[in-house]
Amino acid sequence: MAAVDALEEELVDESLTCSVCKDIYDDPRVLPCLHTFCAKCLEQRRTEDSQLTCPTCQHLWTLKSEDPVSNLPSNFYINKLLNFRALHNSEDAHCQMCESGAKVESICGDCKLLLCGNCFTAHSNSPALKDHYIITLHDLKNPSTRAKYTGAEYCTKHNDVRVTFYCQPCAKLVCRECTITEHKQSRKHNPREVSEVAQKYKDDLQTLVQKTVDAADAQKNASKTIRKELTSITINCQVEKTMIREHFVQLKAKLEKAERDVMDKLEEMEITQREPLVKEKESFEGTLRSTEDGLKFCTDILGRNNDVEILTLGQQLEDRLKVLAANQVKREPLKNHLTFQHSTDIKCELVLTCKPLVITDPPVECLPTSVVFRPQKGQVQGTPQVTVTSPGGQCVTLDTTKISEGAFEAVWRPQTTGKHVLGVATESDTSGGGGKWKWGRAPGKGGCSPLIVDVSSNNPVLTFGQKGSQQGQFDRPLDVAVRGDRLYVADTFNKRVQVFDLSGKFCFSFLTASNPESLVVQTDGTILVHCGEEVITFSPSGELLKKLDIGEQCTAISGLAVQRDGGVVVADFGQNIFLFVESDGTLVKQVGGQGLLKAQPFSSVSFVCVDNESNIIVSDTVQNCVQVFDVGLNFLNKFGEHGRQPYNMWSPTGVSADSRGNIVLANIGDKSDVGGVEHGKKLQVFRPDGTWVATISSDKDKLNKPHGVAVTEDGHVFVVDYADHCVRKYRYM
């Protein structure tokens, strides 16, 4: 009965309703844009030249001239649901083939007739109807037989045999018997197993889905930028309105007419500025809706993993995704703003001027910010440089890159919070004929006005967890790992691993028998947990698999790392050795022993990770450094030293590397809070060569005892804080 209840939830009338006729689908057909409608609804909207506009996305399609609507593919999934719905709702119905009033026991998927027991037998025994497929009420209620009608199709020539082959030259699904008769291997026929052919479609579609996701993200960002620019226009105009009012109040009554004239002109210019942006915003949002609809349809099909359905719609999906993925976002940001120019005369003017310095997004400590400089004609000579003066008075110069005619861009990564002053230095000719750097000026127009911006703290974008043993609570967690859309936390003193999604929503947990100290997740989803001197493997769902047979080789396991091929690196710095283990737990080799890495000895290593080049990266808590080795344990690089500067290390622990090679490091820091963030209690970002990039700190929800870290591909890092019994998530790129 549980299976029947689940089916009832799936067969909601709303999901089976055509958006045009508002009735249950009748012969549902899929348009090239992947939207589904009744065949009769499409036929009514088709023009004489076989053109049809999609009722949802308004895209105009030219269909094949010969039976255009009937040539559209049927919606495989909805047709199945309609058959189930008809049979499931037939308990009080009577046979539609005879007039006996007998109870319905089955439905013919081809004739769409509800049948009693006698008519079912007659229908099945009729030679003319032998190819029709029939679903019985018994099949619907029996999970093992219901799968026959939801997961597989049957051969049109041999209706009791499943189609398991696909003849590529014929583009037709066939059964095994057909491969011996009509579709025997030859120059004209090449039958291959359905799963083999479908896999290629699935791989290609998955790649196109990712490209389309990237296009959708770019469209979302463009729409978001336009909304910000619209807000900027409104705020800018409100400020100018205030200036206009203040000026005309001083001139009192005789200036009232001039004030009204200028205000009217301002509103006209505001409308002139807003109209193209509003249209551009609507265009991007319309494209985004179409992209998201196509993505949802494709991801639903891929999620159902139905090979027949993928082969039926595969080419259409591929064509549509290529079109959607090609919708790249190309646009210029807002260049101009309104300026009110006043004088003691009644005559005043509104002019459209270029903002010399613009910051695209509010600056945040340690995160990259784009600074755009658009000088007015004659204002600068040579290549300008952007200067930044921090609250402490330190001044740095940023190199700029020419991004378009008359526009330059610099990337600024502020390292402190508070108000910063941004200016521009340019190379101008002096009266003496020489050249030097000075504030850019245009003759008679003064210099480039500095821009004062307030840099905010890089506070966590997400914090969850507290001390306890309930789900979502922790007791001194020590490590964290990310694989796909899942976050794995070693809940150490609760003797378990908890699994969440990347927004912190609890998924499930499983026990580890003893305290888990570190963990990694292999490419196939297998979870490896380090407990004491044992490494235990668990299935992706948390079922215990086995213990790795490495106990005799290890004395003091310090950490685990997973390689790109799924192999595992086990670090034992009690003996200065590394164990290389295959994904199935087989020990491949042991490297090191007495004298290993003698030139670069370890004092105490807390964590280890592997980057995309298979280099092994380890953190040394006592020596306050990070060391990098290749896969053969040849020393490559060492960086870091103890100190109070943001780029110095203070008892480093967790370490993780992203796909771009950036290294994110956790520091436990000083035992006291004296001196603030500079004394440790921080996250640091380094380039692959060890160059310091940024230090992540926060004014609110400060780190207490950061330990294990794990990065995500969208530029965020998770860190466990074993003193606060929580997990925090920061943006670092």
Side-chain angles (χ1 to χ4, degrees), residues 193-237:
E193 290 191 2
V194 164
S195 58
E196 179 185 351
V197 182
Q199 185 60 47
K200 178 182 180 302
Y201 276 98
K202 286 190 281 190
D203 293 342
D204 293 343
L205 290 173
Q206 194 63 57
T207 301
L208 285 172
V209 164
Q210 185 56 52
K211 290 182 180 179
T212 310
V213 168
D214 295 341
D217 289 342
Q219 292 158 11
K220 290 179 182 177
N221 292 334
S223 181
K224 180 180 178 182
T225 302
I226 291 174
R227 287 197 297 271
K228 289 182 180 179
E229 292 176 354
L230 288 170
T231 302
S232 174
I233 291 173
T234 301
I235 295 174
N236 169 221
C237 291

Side-chain angles (χ1 to χ4, degrees), residues 153-383:
E153 279 291 309
Y154 284 74
C155 181
T156 57
K157 295 293 184 182
H158 311 92
N159 63 334
D160 58 341
V161 183
R162 291 176 54 185
V163 289
T164 55
F165 288 85
Y166 183 75
C167 184
Q168 289 185 307
C170 303
K172 186 174 182 180
L173 290 159
V174 297
C175 69
R176 183 176 297 277
E177 293 183 26
C178 289
T179 63
I180 303 173
T181 56
E182 296 182 16
H183 295 269
K184 186 177 181 181
Q185 182 74 39
S186 65
R187 287 184 299 174
K188 295 183 179 180
H189 300 286
N190 181 24
R192 297 170 60 190
E193 290 191 2
V194 164
S195 58
E196 179 185 351
V197 182
Q199 185 60 47
K200 178 182 180 302
Y201 276 98
K202 286 190 281 190
D203 293 342
D204 293 343
L205 290 173
Q206 194 63 57
T207 301
L208 285 172
V209 164
Q210 185 56 52
K211 290 182 180 179
T212 310
V213 168
D214 295 341
D217 289 342
Q219 292 158 11
K220 290 179 182 177
N221 292 334
S223 181
K224 180 180 178 182
T225 302
I226 291 174
R227 287 197 297 271
K228 289 182 180 179
E229 292 176 354
L230 288 170
T231 302
S232 174
I233 291 173
T234 301
I235 295 174
N236 169 221
C237 291
Q238 290 296 333
V239 171
E240 297 303 320
K241 287 179 182 179
T242 301
M243 294 180 61
I244 292 169
R245 291 191 182 99
E246 290 177 352
H247 177 70
F248 280 95
V249 163
Q250 298 173 7
L251 301 180
K252 296 184 180 179
K254 69 178 182 178
L255 299 179
E256 289 180 359
K257 182 179 182 301
E259 179 184 9
R260 288 194 301 270
D261 293 341
V262 175
M263 291 292 289
D264 290 343
K265 185 176 180 180
L266 172 66
E267 292 174 357
E268 290 176 4
M269 295 179 74
E270 179 182 2
I271 293 172
T272 302
Q273 273 193 288
R274 289 178 61 90
E275 280 182 348
L277 280 177
V278 170
K279 292 179 180 178
E280 189 179 13
K281 172 177 172 290
E282 291 173 351
S283 175
F284 274 118
E285 290 178 345
T287 303
L288 176 60
R289 284 193 298 271
S290 180
T291 301
E292 289 178 337
D293 286 344
L295 273 174
K296 183 178 185 304
F297 190 91
C298 291
T299 52
D300 286 347
I301 287 179
L302 290 173
R304 291 194 289 270
N305 201 26
N306 188 316
D307 292 345
V308 173
E309 186 174 15
I310 289 175
L311 286 175
T312 303
L313 297 174
Q315 187 60 51
Q316 193 165 348
L317 293 172
E318 181 179 348
D319 293 342
R320 182 56 177 162
L321 287 174
K322 285 180 180 177
V323 172
L324 295 178
N327 289 335
Q328 300 299 321
V329 177
K330 294 181 180 180
R331 63 177 308 273
E332 284 288 331
L334 181 68
K335 295 181 179 180
N336 304 316
H337 73 159
L338 290 168
T339 301
F340 172 61
Q341 295 183 347
H342 61 83
S343 68
T344 56
D345 194 359
I346 294 179
K347 183 179 180 181
C348 301
E349 289 293 333
L350 278 166
V351 296
L352 200 62
T353 61
C354 175
K355 295 182 287 186
L357 278 173
V358 177
I359 290 183
T360 56
D361 292 296
V364 178
E365 181 185 16
C366 101
L367 299 181
T369 299
S370 176
V371 182
V372 178
F373 174 53
R374 293 189 180 89
Q376 298 181 17
K377 186 176 182 181
Q379 195 173 21
V380 298
Q381 296 179 11
T383 303

Side-chain angles (χ1 to χ4, degrees), residues 381 428-436 438:
Q381 296 179 11
S428 302
D429 291 332
T430 63
S431 58
K436 67 177 183 178
K438 66 179 184 179

Side-chain angles (χ1 to χ4, degrees), residues 631-689:
V631 70
L633 268 298
N634 298 303
F635 175 75
L636 296 179
N637 188 22
K638 175 181 177 181
F639 59 90
E641 61 181 1
H642 186 260
R644 298 177 181 271
Q645 297 302 319
Y647 50 81
N648 291 143
M649 298 181 188
W650 199 305
S651 300
T653 52
V655 62
S656 184
D658 63 22
S659 60
R660 299 171 292 276
N662 297 302
I663 300 170
V664 180
L665 185 71
N667 288 257
I668 293 180
D670 200 352
K671 294 182 179 179
S672 69
D673 290 329
V674 178
V677 173
E678 290 79 10
H679 283 76
K681 299 181 185 291
K682 61 189 177 184
L683 302 173
Q684 294 172 298
V685 184
F686 298 90
R687 293 195 179 96
D689 62 358

